[in-house]
Amino acid sequence: MSLLITGGTGYIGSHTVVELLALDKDIVIVDNLSNSSTLVLDRIKEITGKTVTFIKADICDEQAMDQVFSEHNIDAVIHFAGLKAVGESSEIPLSYYHNNVSGSVTLLQVMAKHQVKNLVFSSSATVYGENNESPLVETMPTSATNPYGQTKLMIENILFDLAKSDASWSIACLRYFNPIGAHESGLIGENPNGIPNNLLPYVSQVAVGRLPQLQVFGDDYDTVDGTGVRDYIHVVDLAIGHVKAVEKLTEISGCKPINLGTGNGTSVLEIVNSFREISGQEIPYSVQPRRAGDIATVFANAEVANKLLGWHAQRDLNAMITDTWRWQSNNPNGFE
Ligand code: NAD
Ligand code: UD1
């Protein structure tokens, strides 16, 4: 029996594959390489000593996906594949709806045809929208403020409807908070295309000299030092959360939303200061107006993951930043 990992050469997917290989799982990766490279596969092999089956295919391609399920004995799917840049999603919304929503529907149709009804889906804390107060709990109302967030919310709703229509589906809808860090080997990590949108890749590219300075979006929030507070989670903890979710799928009936966060909040300036200390590099920054769509404070209530999956995050901020820096300084130009 094999696990199909869509988007498995991407940032979170590759870390999850490493954790699954440690448990001797058979892995089939499907990725169209729109935001990743096959060099990741060499690094995965270097870390684990194991190989995976890699298929270059698009989840929107029904025929190709059908062939994957015909040729491999898949018993569960972890579905990471998707476009994820919030700003870009407002510029090219149709690409986001097509790739993320239509792609997921195609994948689900092929899964149903092959009687594979075990799924772990990459959702996001973005589905909590702007109107809930942290700590965020899975039962809170959901909403979206940009096309990317809409795609996550639409897919979640599709999954709830699907599970209601057919009780044989087991779906874990994992709502990630802010994944950062890298594998402790320094061999795999986040490798954004172009100028990063998210805080940690931006800060690490400033530290390594690829970008001149950080812009801090707002210092007048009602937080510890006026800058935005988020729940940063080590990507390896997140990966382990997926392993636990796959193992517990048989105990989940229907579609279950589950937060994966630490439950702690850290401000932008706290990140900058820790990064400066750990890397020994200067991180010049200037304070800019607030970024549209940002809110002051976002952090998780992680009790459901703890109770249902027996999971909690184990790596602290120091490990997250140390590992981010090791990856960035060893690979200043990513995988190239
Ligand atoms: P990533 O871009 O590194 O990985 C996604 C992978 O999917 C890439 O390798 C890309 O080539 C592939 N892909 C995209 N569209 C595809 C398609 N149509 N067919 C096949 N492959 C396709 O992103 P990531 O950070 O690893 O994120 C993984 C998932 O987690 C995404 O769905 C993302 O929306 C979600 N997520 C990420 C974050 C985050 O901060 N990184 C937060 C919340 C949710
Ligand atoms: C962003 C997305 C969210 C997505 C998440 C993870 C927006 C509005 N939200 O969330 O949908 O799920 O990434 O991919 O884009 N910051 C700076 N300077 C920077 C970058 C960020 O000060 O150059 C600040 C932000 O204002 C925020 C914090 O750093 O307070 C974290 O930002 P970011 O990494 O972009 O994550 P989110 O805003 O939480």
Side-chain angles (χ1 to χ4, degrees):
M1 290 301 235
S2 301
L3 279 170
L4 172 64
I5 317 290
T6 75
T9 45
Y11 172 47
I12 305 170
S14 58
H15 288 81
T16 303
V17 167
V18 166
E19 296 306 316
L20 290 165
L21 288 173
L23 298 175
D24 279 333
K25 304 277 185 198
D26 279 324
I27 305 290
V28 176
I29 293 178
V30 164
D31 201 300
N32 67 359
L33 302 177
S34 60
N35 197 34
S36 56
S37 134
T38 51
L39 295 172
V40 174
L41 300 169
D42 303 334
R43 301 288 180 92
I44 290 174
K45 185 163 182 213
E46 207 175 325
I47 295 169
T48 63
K50 293 175 186 160
T51 47
V52 299
T53 303
F54 175 74
I55 299 158
K56 184 175 181 227
D58 195 301
I59 55 162
C60 300
D61 181 344
E62 189 173 347
Q63 238 183 327
M65 294 309 293
D66 192 49
Q67 199 177 338
V68 170
F69 281 83
S70 298
E71 290 178 0
H72 301 273
N73 196 3
I74 307 288
D75 65 342
V77 177
I78 307 183
H79 176 31
F80 293 105
L83 300 175
K84 62 164 184 177
V86 173
E88 184 187 65
S89 78
S90 296
E91 288 154 23
I92 48 167
L94 292 181
S95 299
Y96 273 69
Y97 289 115
H98 176 67
N99 196 75
N100 294 5
V101 182
S102 306
S104 296
V105 171
T106 301
L107 171 69
L108 293 165
Q109 282 170 327
V110 175
M111 286 175 70
K113 179 179 164 192
H114 290 267
Q115 293 297 315
V116 179
K117 297 186 176 179
N118 297 316
L119 175 71
V120 176
F121 171 62
S122 294
S123 189
S124 167
T126 194
V127 301
Y128 289 110
E130 297 178 302
N131 301 321
N132 293 304
E133 204 164 309
S134 291
L136 298 170
V137 182
E138 288 84 347
T139 47
M140 284 175 167
T142 51
S143 63
T145 54
N146 54 66
Y148 166 73
Q150 290 287 1
T151 66
K152 290 294 167 189
L153 200 49
M154 284 178 181
I155 300 164
E156 280 205 1
N157 286 329
I158 289 167
L159 295 175
F160 289 128
D161 286 343
L162 178 63
K164 247 186 265 166
S165 75
D166 175 353
S168 58
W169 281 87
S170 296
I171 304 174
C173 220
L174 303 182
R175 293 176 175 167
Y176 314 155
F177 281 68
N178 291 58
I180 64 169
H183 191 263
E184 64 173 9
S185 62
L187 288 168
I188 54 173
E190 189 169 12
N191 185 29
N193 263 338
I195 296 186
N197 301 300
N198 296 120
L199 181 65
L200 260 290
Y202 205 106
V203 169
S204 35
Q205 292 196 12
V206 171
V208 87
R210 267 173 79 175
L211 292 168
Q213 69 165 13
L214 172 72
Q215 293 159 11
V216 173
F217 298 139
D219 67 351
D220 56 352
Y221 287 107
D222 182 15
T223 61
V224 58
D225 55 21
T227 63
V229 166
R230 297 291 183 273
D231 185 341
Y232 297 96
I233 172 171
H234 197 297
V235 67
V236 172
D237 278 328
L238 195 65
I240 293 168
H242 290 74
V243 174
K244 301 265 185 195
V246 171
E247 284 171 344
K248 294 278 178 178
L249 271 182
T250 47
E251 292 168 32
I252 294 176
S253 68
C255 176
K256 198 83 193 141
I258 304 171
N259 288 342
L260 291 184
T262 65
N264 303 315
T266 306
S267 77
V268 174
L269 290 183
E270 285 168 340
I271 292 278
V272 170
N273 291 333
S274 300
F275 211 105
R276 182 187 296 122
E277 262 173 46
I278 288 169
S279 67
Q281 306 296 313
E282 276 312 304
I283 319 279
Y285 69 85
S286 67
V287 176
Q288 300 291 324
R290 294 178 178 192
R291 181 173 67 180
D294 273 357
I295 52 179
T297 299
V298 179
F299 62 93
N301 172 315
E303 277 169 32
V304 170
N306 196 344
K307 284 199 189 115
L308 207 66
L309 309 180
W311 173 92
H312 64 270
Q314 291 184 323
R315 289 158 182 79
D316 63 10
L317 193 67
N318 196 60
M320 297 183 213
I321 293 182
T322 302
D323 293 340
T324 301
W325 178 238
R326 188 184 300 109
W327 155 250
Q328 184 68 65
S329 50
N330 289 352
N331 308 269
N333 297 311
F335 288 102
E336 284 128 43

